[in-house]
Amino acid sequence: MNAFFVLPARSASHGFSVDPMRMFPTHPPLARRLERLEELAREIGRARGMPSTPDPILVESSTARLDNPQALGAFFLAVFAWGILGGAFLSEPDVTNNGLLWIPLLGSLAFLGGIVLGLQGVGRASAGARGMGYAVTGLVLLLGPWALALMAMVVFGILALLGAGPIPG
């Protein structure tokens, strides 16, 4: 099971549905199970000295892998949000006097949109679409620093309670 497995982005009816068998599958897809059985049959045949078939039977999917624009969108929004943040730090705009309130607003929208598209992209990729790498990379870029900051706060809080660490007690 994938570590980033979330609710599927679309169901067969193209609407949202809560189906526990799709959210938490108990078995891999049929094509993957048939490939594994075929591989085991070849291994067992070789172990007994039986000739193995020269050309393995390929199990082809009836449908091609779907495109996943949400995954690519999440990656680009993550890069865009970090670009806006870097540009804001480098230019040091005075948002109160110059009226540049759109920079934090645009960064916040890119951040939230990237998270939503990343979760949808991971859900679609778990269902067989392309782009798992883009979706996960976008989520890591957007949520990774927050997770590290939260973990640092917990560690520093525990160290402060124990009277040790960088925070004087």
Side-chain angles (χ1 to χ4, degrees):
M1 180 179 279
N2 191 336
F4 293 102
F5 191 76
V6 295
L7 292 173
R10 289 188 180 173
S11 67
S13 65
H14 299 295
F16 182 78
S17 68
V18 179
D19 183 10
M21 293 309 291
R22 285 198 63 208
M23 290 176 5
F24 308 106
T26 57
H27 302 292
L30 179 62
R32 196 175 307 153
R33 286 188 277 167
L34 289 174
E35 288 173 5
R36 180 69 181 138
L37 283 173
E38 188 178 309
E39 180 182 321
L40 286 172
R42 280 195 306 271
E43 288 177 13
I44 290 173
R46 275 189 238 128
R48 292 185 178 178
M50 298 173 66
S52 62
T53 58
D55 295 327
I57 300 170
L58 297 177
V59 177
E60 294 184 17
S61 175
S62 60
T63 60
R65 291 183 67 174
L66 299 172
D67 288 334
N68 194 353
Q70 286 92 342
L72 207 54
F75 178 73
F76 284 126
L77 282 177
V79 171
F80 182 69
W82 279 106
I84 287 177
L85 181 67
F89 278 131
L90 290 176
S91 65
E92 298 179 13
D94 185 12
V95 293
T96 57
N97 293 334
N98 294 335
L100 295 176
L101 293 175
W102 62 271
I103 290 177
L105 179 65
L106 193 58
S108 299
L109 289 175
F111 180 81
L112 292 174
I115 291 173
V116 168
L117 287 178
L119 291 173
Q120 288 179 348
V122 168
R124 285 185 58 126
S126 295
R130 300 179 196 161
M132 179 66 85
Y134 285 118
V136 170
T137 302
L139 285 173
V140 167
L141 284 173
L142 292 171
L143 297 176
W146 289 97
L148 290 175
L150 182 65
M151 189 169 32
M153 288 186 337
V154 168
V155 168
F156 287 149
I158 290 172
L159 289 174
L161 289 174
L162 296 174
I167 301 173

